[in-house]
Amino acid sequence: MVTSHPERFGEAYWTFFAARVAPHLPSRPVMIDVGCGPGLFLQDLGQRYPSATLYGYDVTRAMIAYGQQLSWPGAKPTLMVHDVATQSLPHDAGGVHLVSMSSVLHLVDEPLPVLAEIRRVLTEGGVFLLHDWIRQPLERYLAWRRERLGERAPEYLRRAFRLFPVHNKYTTEDWQWLLAEAGLAIRDQTQLRDSHQIFVTTSAASA
Ligand SMILES: C[S@@+](CC[C@H](N)C(=O)[O-])C[C@H]1O[C@@H](n2cnc3c(N)ncnc32)[C@H](O)[C@@H]1O
């Protein structure tokens, strides 16, 4: 996650963010990264929005510990061990300008209650930025692991077949359906990599 961060959140990602997400954010936004992992995306946000109030939640203690030892350009974020599948977000309704979830929601057994909770905390016109895996044909997924991740036998196939059902759970259309079902309207979407789709959404009530 740490080594692949610069590739996953590279120039193309931030160009898209600047054009499609930033115009919906105030200059002093409240931002949450749900399933923040080692906190590097929050650190990127902190560099771009030094006046932001940042929160990162992750179920894995080691991830939160990693984020806590990073250096932060603005105010230090609140980083907390938190299971979004079983706990409400510790925020009042309507107070968050950006909720981001990157490569996390596919891991949650029941995504709809999580999406409802995200919608609850968004300000009117606030953005939920979903960035997650989309289904690929098996042959293309195996080639991607081999060529892009450089994985090699013997562990390559064992790992690839274990992860295939995890990473290839939802199609783009499934994500669109889930978002609509949760009352989130899609403002924009793009695919910067074969494996992932990005959706810029807002509460359907404020769309
Ligand atoms: C593939 S990593 C992505 C991390 C980060 N968002 C990124 O893109 O680098 C998935 C993260 O989601 C976290 N996660 C999984 N289930 C979670 C849950 N129910 N609540 C909070 N975090 C969760 C994991 O601990 C892990 O750090």
Side-chain angles (χ1 to χ4, degrees):
M1 242 177 288
V2 172
T3 45
S4 65
H5 179 82
E7 192 215 329
R8 293 185 294 123
F9 297 94
E11 203 182 319
Y13 181 90
W14 289 107
T15 301
F16 178 78
F17 189 99
R20 304 300 182 180
V21 180
H24 301 291
L25 300 177
S27 55
R28 299 170 69 86
V30 176
M31 298 164 147
I32 304 179
D33 192 17
V34 177
C36 62
L40 298 174
F41 178 65
L42 276 175
Q43 194 184 41
D44 291 344
L45 284 174
Q47 270 150 12
R48 288 163 176 82
Y49 294 88
S51 307
T53 308
L54 301 173
Y55 298 86
Y57 302 119
D58 201 287
V59 76
T60 307
R61 192 164 296 279
M63 294 291 175
I64 294 299
Y66 188 98
Q68 279 165 340
Q69 52 78 49
L70 293 175
S71 63
W72 295 91
K76 257 193 148 189
T78 303
L79 296 171
M80 260 176 54
V81 175
H82 181 94
D83 183 352
V84 76
T86 58
Q87 296 171 284
S88 306
L89 290 170
H91 294 265
D92 291 339
V96 181
H97 301 99
L98 174 72
V99 178
S100 146
M101 232 180 163
S102 202
S103 303
V104 181
L105 195 53
H106 70 282
L107 296 169
V108 173
D109 287 344
E110 266 195 82
L112 287 171
V114 176
L115 291 172
E117 186 54 13
I118 288 169
R119 193 163 75 102
R120 179 186 72 78
V121 303
L122 283 182
T123 56
E124 200 181 327
V127 177
F128 170 49
L129 184 58
L130 174 67
H131 183 200
D132 217 317
W133 288 89
I134 48 168
R135 197 177 300 163
Q136 301 185 68
L138 175 63
E139 185 181 357
R140 199 174 338 138
Y141 179 75
L142 294 180
W144 175 80
R145 295 203 73 89
R146 229 174 24 241
E147 287 154 25
R148 298 296 299 275
L149 304 186
E151 293 186 346
R152 293 286 171 266
E155 71 283 355
Y156 145 68
L157 281 179
R158 198 176 318 125
R159 187 173 164 78
F161 278 106
R162 179 170 61 78
L163 289 175
F164 180 73
V166 179
H167 289 156
N168 292 275
K169 189 168 172 183
Y170 296 120
T171 62
T172 297
E173 292 72 27
D174 292 335
W175 286 124
Q176 288 167 335
W177 183 86
L178 278 169
L179 290 164
E181 194 69 8
L184 290 157
I186 299 173
R187 281 180 173 148
D188 262 301
Q189 71 181 73
T190 194
Q191 188 173 341
L192 302 178
R193 296 182 287 145
D194 285 350
S195 54
H196 281 64
Q197 188 83 13
I198 302 178
F199 300 92
V200 182
T201 78
T202 192
S203 170
S206 60

